Amino acid sequence: MEILTINNVWMMVCTALVFFMHLGFSFLEIGLTRQKNTINILFKNVFIICVGLLLYYVGGFNLMYPGFEEGEGFLKFAGFGIGAPENGMTPEYADGGYTWWTDFLFQGMFAATAATIVSGAVAERIKLGAFMIFTLLYVGLVYPIVGSWKWGAGWLDQLGFYDFAGSTLVHSVGGWAALVAVYLLGSRIGKFSSEGKPQAIPGHNIPLATAGVLILWLGWFGFNGGSVLSANPELTSLTLVTTCLAAAAGGVGAFVFSVILYKNYDLTMFLNGILGGLVGITAGADQMSPNDAVIIGVLAGIIIVLGVALIDKLKLDDPVGAIAVHLICGIWGTLAVGIFGKLASGEQFVNQLIGITAIGGFCILSSFIILFTIKKTIGLRVSEKEEIDGLDGHEHGMDAYPDFRINQH
């Protein structure tokens, strides 16, 4: 029972750290966007965590962990609400890693993250009501169904697909929806010139964005460290080492590569490189050596720089770089499990590719159906006047910084 208590305390600490990541996402998003949309972005982030937890309680948890029998594994539902089984507080539950209640709360913290990723990509021009409807459906249904395929012992788990803490199951799930949303929404006014060249729209508070990234890095100690699902000293220690090395290498890889390409020291690229390294290591953090982690991180940092350039070239507008960080580096990190570490093999690489393709296809289709339906009914995008004036005044009737207002267009 003492071991269960130690494991459970560690898992609760990790749950708190993953919760803290929502502050990091909020700071990063508002820092990289304009002042006139700050309240709107903060509202969305608070909405996501509150509604995400309630949706996970109502049905998400039982949709994600439905108790598949052998030969099943695509869709099953264990019922509404949550109630602990008889062994839910004993060492028999989850091999003594934690209790039923801690299990629910830790997994619930992950659930909301998928919509948070989308929030940054669609910032400054999506209707708040449209975003809220999308969040309800995507977090309530799509995320837990996809999660059940691997973490709920579904068909991808039976195939041999591996995703330790969610490079695909969390980050790419959010990234695919972000890609579809950005495509359907269109770019912000002024993002592309009449010739189609991308133009910088600077964020209003880079210090806050930097604080956000450092908070996210700290939160990843819980995101990856908690995914060990116990306080196992060897595995938790290794996981935290690989996570931190990949983050550091991702930052260095991105800033050095961007200096070579663009001849300037771009802090935002440095910050997104750190996040790219973190997303990249997340699928295999428990399987990698420190050397593997550094290589995965450096390559993720380079991928970020190329990914941001690619998004611009495709004339897609992603204000915070969410698609490059969470989707492209999520794909890279998932494939890396088949290339590096203890599981590396041709067969594993193919399994990883199958998982990425299946989840990508499902997320693209479902997010397109949800968002296209919203677009054709209530509309996705705010009016031109609302966008130019800022969403804070029109949607919320308030200003984030009323004492030193700067009118930014």
Side-chain angles (χ1 to χ4, degrees):
M1 205 66 184
E2 186 180 340
I3 293 296
L4 171 61
T5 302
I6 293 167
N7 286 340
N8 198 58
V9 168
W10 167 246
M11 291 300 295
M12 287 192 287
V13 169
C14 289
T15 300
L17 285 169
V18 179
F19 176 83
F20 194 45
M21 291 174 79
H22 289 277
L23 178 64
F25 277 119
S26 300
F27 278 4
L28 177 62
E29 284 179 46
I30 63 174
L32 291 180
T33 53
R34 288 167 290 184
Q35 176 185 314
K36 62 187 181 181
N37 298 307
T38 301
I39 298 286
N40 183 258
I41 288 166
L42 292 174
F43 191 98
K44 284 190 294 181
N45 277 272
V46 173
F47 174 83
I48 287 165
I49 186 67
C50 291
V51 170
L53 267 174
L54 290 172
L55 288 170
Y56 210 62
Y57 157 69
V58 169
F61 188 52
N62 284 338
L63 196 55
M64 193 157 169
Y65 299 95
F68 286 122
E69 302 292 335
E70 190 65 39
E72 297 179 341
F74 187 78
L75 182 65
K76 189 176 177 182
F77 184 48
F80 291 103
I82 53 169
E86 283 183 23
N87 70 340
M89 308 302 148
T90 68
E92 286 73 50
Y93 181 77
D95 298 324
Y98 43 79
T99 68
W100 167 268
W101 299 121
T102 303
D103 189 5
F104 163 74
L105 206 53
F106 181 68
Q107 303 299 342
M109 290 302 158
F110 275 61
T113 306
T116 306
I117 292 163
V118 182
S119 169
V122 300
E124 305 203 288
R125 74 264 202 217
I126 196 168
K127 283 184 178 178
L128 184 58
F131 181 79
M132 290 194 287
I133 294 167
F134 166 77
T135 299
L136 288 168
L137 295 169
Y138 206 68
V139 175
L141 295 173
V142 179
Y143 171 78
I145 289 170
V146 169
S148 75
W149 296 352
K150 164 60 187 169
W151 291 341
W155 73 275
L156 280 177
D157 187 57
Q158 294 166 30
L159 175 75
F161 173 75
Y162 195 82
D163 189 354
F164 173 63
S167 286
T168 285
L169 292 171
V170 177
H171 296 284
S172 287
V173 166
W176 288 117
L179 180 64
V180 171
V182 164
Y183 171 73
L184 288 174
L185 262 177
S187 60
R188 291 168 293 172
I189 296 166
K191 174 61 184 174
F192 295 98
S193 69
S194 52
E195 292 83 40
K197 290 185 177 175
Q199 300 181 121
I201 300 178
H204 86 281
N205 198 324
I206 300 304
L208 263 188
T210 306
V213 168
L214 293 174
I215 288 170
L216 285 168
W217 190 342
L218 171 63
W220 239 282
F221 279 70
F223 202 85
N224 286 1
S227 294
V228 173
L229 304 181
S230 76
N232 179 301
E234 182 184 354
L235 271 180
T236 49
S237 303
L238 172 68
T239 298
L240 297 187
V241 167
T242 56
T243 299
C244 276
L245 287 175
V252 171
F255 106 72
V256 170
F257 192 60
S258 92
V259 167
I260 292 167
L261 284 187
Y262 305 118
K263 308 293 185 288
N264 70 333
Y265 294 93
D266 187 335
L267 176 60
T268 59
M269 207 65 90
F270 200 167
L271 296 174
N272 270 335
I274 291 168
L275 296 178
L278 287 163
V279 172
I281 196 62
T282 291
D286 63 329
Q287 300 293 323
M288 304 300 171
S289 70
N291 288 345
D292 294 332
V294 170
I295 295 167
I296 290 167
V298 167
L299 291 173
I302 292 168
I303 287 166
I304 283 293
V305 180
L306 296 172
V308 168
L310 175 65
I311 299 300
D312 277 347
K313 200 169 184 64
L314 294 171
K315 296 189 174 47
L316 297 171
D317 183 12
D318 178 359
V320 301
I323 296 168
V325 169
H326 297 282
L327 175 56
I328 300 175
C329 285
I331 291 169
W332 158 238
T334 308
L335 290 175
V337 172
I339 303 168
F340 302 96
K342 296 173 189 171
L343 295 176
S345 70
E347 184 185 358
Q348 188 64 48
F349 186 84
V350 171
N351 288 342
Q352 299 302 98
L353 202 55
I354 291 168
I356 291 166
T357 306
I359 289 169
F362 184 76
C363 289
I364 288 170
L365 183 63
S366 55
S367 57
F368 183 84
I369 290 168
I370 296 165
L371 290 163
F372 189 74
T373 304
I374 293 170
K375 184 174 182 175
K376 291 300 177 186
T377 50
I378 65 167
L380 266 183
R381 187 166 178 151
V382 298
S383 70
E384 186 175 334
K385 178 175 171 50
E386 287 174 307
E387 185 178 343
I388 290 169
D389 293 346
L391 303 185
D392 290 359
H394 284 276
E395 297 257 25
H396 307 276
M398 58 176 71
D399 195 305
Y401 309 99
D403 295 328
F404 43 98
R405 183 177 306 186
I406 302 170
N407 186 23
Q408 294 185 12
H409 284 177

